[in-house]
Amino acid sequence: MQKAVALKYDFSAAPTVVAKGNGLLAEKILAVAKENGVLLHQSPELVEMLSTLELGEEIPESLYLAVAEVIAFAHKIKDHQW
């Protein structure tokens, strides 16, 4: 079953979970992200861990490195788009 987790990061605190879902809701989250030019990263293991968090909850310190790598990768890709 498809799963999706959306994070918000404003550089002032740890990223927070702003949307999550399974199945059709996951597909809708991904569609809205694509429509708004949000870069997507697929990591089933990370999504599995993030999906245990509540909406509005900051990611735990144990996931800082994994999420930081995704954010850095997204910024690198965004900076190199033509």
Side-chain angles (χ1 to χ4, degrees):
M1 177 180 289
Q2 177 88 20
K3 283 189 176 186
V5 177
L7 299 176
K8 178 182 178 184
Y9 181 57
D10 61 9
F11 300 93
S12 66
T16 57
V17 176
V18 293
K20 67 179 189 170
N22 300 316
L24 293 175
L25 182 53
E27 291 175 19
K28 181 66 175 173
I29 291 167
L30 295 172
V32 169
K34 287 178 186 177
E35 289 169 10
N36 288 282
V38 174
L39 296 174
L40 303 176
H41 177 78
Q42 294 184 2
S43 173
E45 298 85 8
L46 185 55
V47 168
E48 195 63 41
M49 289 184 275
L50 292 171
S51 67
T52 65
L53 302 175
E54 298 297 323
L55 292 177
E57 187 175 354
E58 290 185 351
I59 64 166
E61 191 173 331
S62 61
L63 295 179
Y64 281 6
L65 181 58
V67 172
E69 289 175 351
V70 172
I71 291 170
F73 179 74
H75 279 286
K76 184 176 182 180
I77 288 175
K78 187 176 179 182
D79 290 344
H80 287 86
Q81 288 182 346
W82 294 272

